[in-house]
Every structure is written in C-alpha cells, then in structure tokens.
Amino acid sequence: MQSLREGGSIRARQLRANASSIRTGIQIVIVTVIYVVTAKLGLMMDAVAGFATLVWPPTGIALAALIIFGYRLWPGVALGAFLANTLTGASVLVALGIASGNVLEAVAGTCALRSIPGFQRCLERLRDVLALLVLVVTFSTTVSATMGVASLTLGGIVPPSQYGETWLVWWLGDVIGALIVAPLLLVWSVSIKCAKPRTFDLKLIGETCALTLSVVGLSLFVFGEPSVFGAYLFFLPLIWAALRFGQRGVVTTTFAVSIVAVSQTVFGRGPFVQEGLSDSLFALQTFMAVTAATFLILGSALAERQYFFLHEQQARTTAEAAVRSRDAFISVASHELRSPLSGLHLAMELFQRNPTIGDKEHTTQTAAKVSRQLQRMTRLVHNLLDVSRIRAGKLHLDYEQVDLGSIVRDVVARYEQDIQRSGSDVTITADSPIVGVWDPMRIEQIVTNLLSNALKYGSGMPIEIRVEGDDRTGRLIVRDNGIGIAAEDQSRIFEQFERIATSKTGGLGLGLWIVRQIASAVGGSIRVVSELGRGSTFNVELPRSPGYAP
Ligand code: ADP
C-alpha cells in the first residue's frame, strides 16, 4: 500500500515536471519567434551595415521575458538573436557573437533589476525606475552594443574606423527597447497595484477614448508639420496619462507615440526628418529616450505620492477607530460600574430612611443587597485588572491540587441569590472527584464568568453544569437554554471587548476572553456549541497537570 502510494506520488511528480518542461519549451519558442519578427522589423530601418539599428524592440522583449518568467527563457533570446542575424546574412560565428551579447544583455539587466530589494514590475517606485534607467541603460545595453559591434568588426562587416558610430546606433536602439518596450510589458504583466486604482466604468472608457483621440490628433498635427518643437506637444497627453492613469497610462502612451513617430519618420514625415533615414531616426530616438525616461520618473513619483497619501489616510482611519473603540469602552465600563453603584446607593438610602436598626430581617436584606452589588463591582474591577495583567504577560498562576467539582459547588453557593433572582435552576452533575493541579482562584474565575453569562443570557431557563474528565483532562461543561449565539458570532465572542449586538444585558465583553486566556495559559481550551434561541454549551478542557499541557 505504502509503495503503491509512493509510486503514485513519484509518477505525479514526473508528470508535473514534464508539464513544466513542456511549458518552458513553448515559452522559449514564443520568445524566439517574437524576437526574430521584431528584430527583422528593426533591421529593416536602414540599419548600419545591415545589423546595427536604431529600432530594436527585442532588447525590451528579452528583458521583460526574463524578469517575468525567469532566467530559464534565455535560450529563446539566444536562438532568436542567432536566427535573426543569420537570416540577415551574418556568418555563424558573427551571429554567435552577437547572440552572446544579446543574451548577456538580458541576463545582466534582469540580474541588476532583481538585485534591487523589493523590485516591483509595476514600476511604481522611483528607485525601480532609476534602477532601470541607470543599471540597464548604462550597464547591460553597453554589453550588447560592445559585443555586437565587436563581432561585426571581427567578421569584417564593419570597418574598425566605424566602430564608434555603429556602437552608438546599436546602443541607442537597445536603450529605446529597454525604456519603451520593456516597461510596457512589465507594467501590464502585473495586476494593478496603483495607490488609486480606478474602477472600470463608463467614465474611464470615455477618458481613455479621449486620451487616444488626443494622441491621434496630435500625431496628425505634429507629423504634418516639420517644426521640431511640435514634438513637445506629445508631453500634454503624456502628462494627462501620468496624472490620470498612472504608470500604465505612461507606458502605453509612450509606446503609442513611439510607434506613430517611428512609422511617420520612416515615411519621411514630421519634425525629425533629416537627410538620411538613420539621421532622422537618431534624432527621433534621442527625443524618445529622454521622453520615456522623464515620464517613467514622473509616473513613479506620482504613484509614490499617492501611496504616501493613502498610507496617511489609513493611519488616520486606524487612529480614529482606536479612539472610537476607546470611547465605546469607557462608556460601557462606566455604565457597568454605575449600575452596582446605583444599587448600593439605593440600598444605603433606604437603610438611612428607615431607622430600623434592630429589625434584623431588614438589616440582613440590605446587607445582602450591598454585598451583591459589591461582588458585582469587584468582579468588574478584577476583570479589568486581569486585562492589563494578561496583556503584559503577567498572569500569575499559583498551582495546587484541587477538585474541580468542589470549586463549582462553592461558586454556585456564592451565587445563590443571583440564581434565585434570575429564575434559573442550576443543577450540578459531577463525576467522582476530578482532581488536578490548577490555580483554584483562576478556575473559580472560569466557573464564575461562565455561570454569570448563563444567568445573564439564560432567559430564566434551567442551567446545567457538568464536571467530568479522564486521566489527563478535567472538563467543565456549562449549558444554558437561553438566547443562544448565532453561528457567525461564535468565534467573535472570545475576543476582547466583543459583545453581540443583540445582547441587552451584556457586560464589558471581557468575560469569555479572560476565560480563554486562562484556559490557554494552563494548556487547555474552550469551545462553544450554540444555536440562536435554543441555548449555548461552553466546554472547557483543562489538563490535570501542567505537565500534560500540549
Ligand atoms: P459580556 O461581559 O458582554 O457578557 P463575555 O465576554 O462574557 O462578555 O461575552 C461576550 C458576548 O458573548 C456577550 O456579550 C454575549 O453576547 C455572548 N454570550 C456569552 N455567553 C453567552 C451565553 N451563555 N448565551 C448567549 N450569549 C452569550
């Protein structure tokens, strides 16, 4: 049986491993295909010596693929770069050199960004955007440009005298890929975390359409006009996108502007057009690199500002909630202390008004009333003191050998008058002495709190207290037939200051919390079974000796 199960789990593991390799294989093929297609598109843009182009989306695709899916996709980058270059006419050796540079670029860029503590793909932290700008733009893209152009020079495709010029073109093309394509993929690959998430509604659709129309309108205007200043008009929709749509708006608008600008410039239209296509593209891509960097920084700075405000707002709400719950507690506590005080006051006033010294029965009655109110106040004050003791971890336990049944009987005897007043009948069923090493005062407190709740919420119906146990555990069961507790409230009642809304005769909402704290301090537990309108049963388990506690 055992080996059958093991065999099954090994097979399941193998199946999972196979599925994961197939998934990786498919992802590598997808990266390769996208890499080749976008690379060929870029190489069509008047590439220097046929290989160094100013439009190179593959850098961004490779970087995003490795950051999102992990380093394991590097073969896709290698294969894509190798194929794209051999298809363009490079020898195997040159293509291998270029592909190595491209893989190193993606791996180094990914490694640099992943080394930033807490790097987030949504690029909503200024430090992540600065890392992208500084580490990727100055570091990893230079690796690819240096190795790529060196391969071309060694392969005799680019003369050494043109190394510098070709290098600059290669590097700028890669920088654009890293600044425009990678952020687009990275930001859209995560669920929105923006501090001010916008709900998808008609207003949002309307505003998105308006932003799109403004980009289209500006494109028609700017590219029908040769003045270079016209290009700066694109800052308007970019600012709009940053302010209203966050980083997603920024990366999408920048990408859209870039596509329009590159295609128009290639067709010889617009402010960037110069003598040759590569000069035009150089002017355009320099502008696009600065624009992309500026708006990525703006987008992240705005997002950070929103986080800051949201955080402040949350802190304020929490502080207000704390003040509200403190006020509520003070009001409930004062109310609870006032009731026995009023009772005491009344009893003493009656006693004063009737000079019945000598009337033994009257004196006894008054003394009993006073004693009851004092008992109630003492219990309240004890509960309050216990809260601070438990919170400070200073719940002191004095262990001695005691019988659970005797404690229950003592408490019930002490509460005789309250029991009579409540109209409930309390029966105690105790097995032969359930003796354990407990702190009698604390056990008494458990019994008292459960009994007083049963009297308060027992609707005058019979109450049953059972004491039972086995060798290791003593069990106290308090069962009433009163108002009961709704299922959804049953876990809440053991929390501090929790009182169920329907309870009119509630106290401070501390009794059950204290019971649970005491029970768990001795390694025991408490649970409740209850049905609304039918009553509740509280079951407390106490290990008979501290050594038995789990
Ligand atoms: P309280 O001082 O309000 O009684 P507890 O912590 O003892 O505080 O109880 C928390 C809440 O649990 C009570 O306010 C009441 O709503 C509910 N509760 C406790 N015991 C019972 C019971 N035996 N029957 C019904 N509801 C109960």
Side-chain angles (χ1 to χ4, degrees), residues 332 336 380 383 449-458 478-480 482-486 489 492-515 528 530 535-538:
V332 174
E336 284 298 305
L380 271 170
N383 276 348
N449 286 358
L450 292 181
L451 175 64
S452 81
N453 277 351
L455 294 173
K456 266 194 289 186
Y457 308 111
V478 180
R479 178 191 159 87
D480 66 62
I483 59 171
I485 305 157
D489 294 326
R492 200 150 72 76
I493 56 173
F494 296 104
E495 300 298 330
Q496 250 181 119
F497 307 123
E498 280 295 345
R499 304 162 69 231
I500 310 305
T502 54
S503 60
K504 295 197 176 68
T505 35
L508 295 177
L510 289 174
L512 289 178
W513 180 74
I514 290 171
V515 171
V528 64
S530 182
S536 316
T537 305
F538 287 88

Side-chain angles (χ1 to χ4, degrees), residues 25 35 296 305 313 338 470 497:
Y35 201 101
L296 278 175
R305 193 168 151 270
Q313 212 174 351
R338 205 176 49 202
D470 52 36
F497 307 123

Side-chain angles (χ1 to χ4, degrees), residues 123 129-130 132-133 137 172 174-184 232 234-235 238 242 247 249-258 284-300:
L123 300 180
V129 169
L130 290 179
L132 179 76
L133 297 184
V137 170
L172 188 55
D174 282 15
V175 165
I176 290 292
L179 286 184
I180 295 179
V181 180
L184 179 82
Y232 290 99
F234 281 116
F235 279 23
L238 278 165
Q247 214 53 317
V250 167
V251 294
T252 317
T253 312
T254 311
F255 183 73
V257 168
S258 172
L284 166 68
Q285 297 299 56
T286 312
F287 170 78
M288 282 314 301
V290 175
T291 305
T294 308
F295 283 94
L296 278 175
I297 290 177
L298 178 67
S300 63

